[in-house]
Amino acid sequence: MVDRLANSEANTRRISIVENCFGAAGQPLTIPGRVLIGEGVLTKLCRKKPKARQFFLFNDILVYGNIVIQKKKYNKQHIIPLENVTIDSIQDEGDLRNGWLIKTPTKSFAVYAATATEKSEWMNHINKCVSDLLSKSGKTPSNEHAAVWVPDSEATVCMRCQKAKFTPVNRRHHCRKCGFVVCGPCSEKRFLLPNQSSKPVRICDFCYDLLSSGEMTACQSTRLDSYSQSPKSSLNDASDDDDDEDSSD
């Protein structure tokens, strides 16, 4: 079906509409063989609070952006190659329902659908697209992904030293390797993580020691998955991820 739609006028028109909604600031999306599979609004757990984001699933990329005017205008376009994507379901807990993790080497985050059916459809379509891409390219699924940040609301004290209490003065920071919420003194060092940035990024002392000794796998395995093993926060309290690309937290 995808191959049949690839060169259809209807598909070309739909992609053109998406391009126009992002305006001049968005990247061109029309290329030979690309098909728009589906679209919809999902709740993304962002750095400050959960926010509605418009998502577009193509057969080779996942695109999302901020909603300025529903179905008419979006900005801050993000494009994620599906070959690098893995997804994991998140167990329902309180207000956090119908969610899953979108994990890539560059960034990873949680999204939530309005219903269980919508969640199932999104996950099935994403997995099918990823499977088809990998089958055609002969590549293997990505086995490395950026950490999903632990929500601010789940840490009242530094998750490394277990002593420093967070206040308006003593700010929270996130280790870019493990995703833990840490204090300033426990995250003064920086390390180059090429998949995430061309410049060294903030990491905690624990991860720095492991990375410096070459034990990167051990570093990743020490992190408990915040969405499957730690207490859940409500949608109104969650503070996660980095919609603000210049965030220093």
Side-chain angles (χ1 to χ4, degrees), residues 11 13 20 25 52 68 74-75 87 103 119-120 128 131 144 151 166 169 175 191-192 194 196 224:
N11 178 66
R13 185 168 59 252
N20 291 336
V68 180
Y74 311 110
N75 63 14
I87 58 175
K103 303 187 295 184
K119 169 187 173 177
S120 177
K128 179 65 165 59
S131 177
E144 181 178 349
F166 296 120
V169 176
C175 172
F191 199 92
L192 181 62
Q196 296 190 39
L224 296 178

Side-chain angles (χ1 to χ4, degrees), residues 65 112 122 184 249:
Y112 290 82
W122 270 101
D249 282 356

Side-chain angles (χ1 to χ4, degrees), residues 118-133:
E118 187 179 346
K119 169 187 173 177
S120 177
E121 290 176 349
W122 270 101
M123 293 189 69
N124 288 339
H125 284 308
I126 292 173
N127 277 326
K128 179 65 165 59
C129 289
V130 172
S131 177
D132 288 347
L133 281 172

Side-chain angles (χ1 to χ4, degrees), residues 65-118:
N66 296 7
I67 301 171
V68 180
I69 303 175
Q70 182 64 43
K71 294 189 178 297
K72 291 185 178 180
K73 186 177 181 181
Y74 311 110
N75 63 14
K76 295 189 178 180
Q77 183 190 70
H78 296 260
I79 299 178
I80 303 174
L82 285 179
E83 278 190 346
N84 299 328
V85 168
T86 56
I87 58 175
D88 288 329
S89 180
I90 302 172
Q91 185 176 359
D92 289 347
E93 185 77 21
D95 292 332
L96 295 173
R97 306 183 67 82
N98 309 316
W100 67 97
L101 298 178
I102 297 176
K103 303 187 295 184
T104 81
T106 303
K107 66 184 298 183
S108 303
F109 54 90
V111 293
Y112 290 82
T115 67
T117 299
E118 187 179 346

Side-chain angles (χ1 to χ4, degrees), residues 18-233:
V18 176
E19 287 182 333
N20 291 336
C21 286
F22 278 104
Q27 296 184 36
L29 298 173
T30 302
I31 65 170
R34 177 168 289 163
V35 175
L36 177 57
I37 305 296
E39 61 184 270
V41 177
L42 299 173
T43 297
K44 178 178 179 290
L45 293 194
C46 299
R47 196 175 150 267
K48 296 295 184 183
K49 61 181 180 180
K51 297 176 183 178
R53 294 286 183 257
Q54 181 73 28
F55 280 77
F56 300 92
L57 176 63
F58 296 83
N59 59 332
D60 62 334
I61 57 175
L62 182 66
V63 177
Y64 70 91
N66 296 7
I67 301 171
V68 180
I69 303 175
Q70 182 64 43
K71 294 189 178 297
K72 291 185 178 180
K73 186 177 181 181
Y74 311 110
N75 63 14
K76 295 189 178 180
Q77 183 190 70
H78 296 260
I79 299 178
I80 303 174
L82 285 179
E83 278 190 346
N84 299 328
V85 168
T86 56
I87 58 175
D88 288 329
S89 180
I90 302 172
Q91 185 176 359
D92 289 347
E93 185 77 21
D95 292 332
L96 295 173
R97 306 183 67 82
N98 309 316
W100 67 97
L101 298 178
I102 297 176
K103 303 187 295 184
T104 81
T106 303
K107 66 184 298 183
S108 303
F109 54 90
V111 293
Y112 290 82
T115 67
T117 299
E118 187 179 346
K119 169 187 173 177
S120 177
E121 290 176 349
W122 270 101
M123 293 189 69
N124 288 339
H125 284 308
I126 292 173
N127 277 326
K128 179 65 165 59
C129 289
V130 172
S131 177
D132 288 347
L133 281 172
L134 294 177
S135 177
K136 290 179 180 178
S137 67
K139 296 180 180 179
T140 56
S142 176
N143 59 4
E144 181 178 349
H145 58 81
V148 178
W149 288 8
V150 175
D152 286 358
S153 56
E154 292 188 10
T156 56
V157 299
C158 175
M159 297 178 71
R160 285 305 181 193
C161 69
Q162 301 291 321
K163 297 177 181 178
K165 293 184 178 180
F166 296 120
T167 67
V169 176
N170 186 29
R171 297 174 57 233
R172 292 171 172 82
H173 301 279
H174 280 86
C175 172
R176 297 305 198 271
K177 182 58 183 176
C178 68
F180 276 14
V181 183
V182 291
C183 64
C186 284
S187 60
E188 292 179 340
K189 297 182 176 64
R190 292 179 177 269
F191 199 92
L192 181 62
L193 301 177
N195 285 328
Q196 296 190 39
S197 175
S198 59
K199 300 177 181 179
V201 294
R202 181 189 292 271
I203 61 173
C204 67
D205 293 346
F206 181 80
C207 287
Y208 181 84
D209 291 341
L210 289 176
L211 286 165
S212 297
S213 65
E215 300 179 32
M216 294 182 69
T217 302
C219 176
Q220 186 70 24
S221 66
T222 61
R223 180 183 178 276
L224 296 178
D225 190 300
S226 62
Y227 291 95
S228 62
Q229 298 187 40
S230 64
K232 304 296 187 298
S233 58

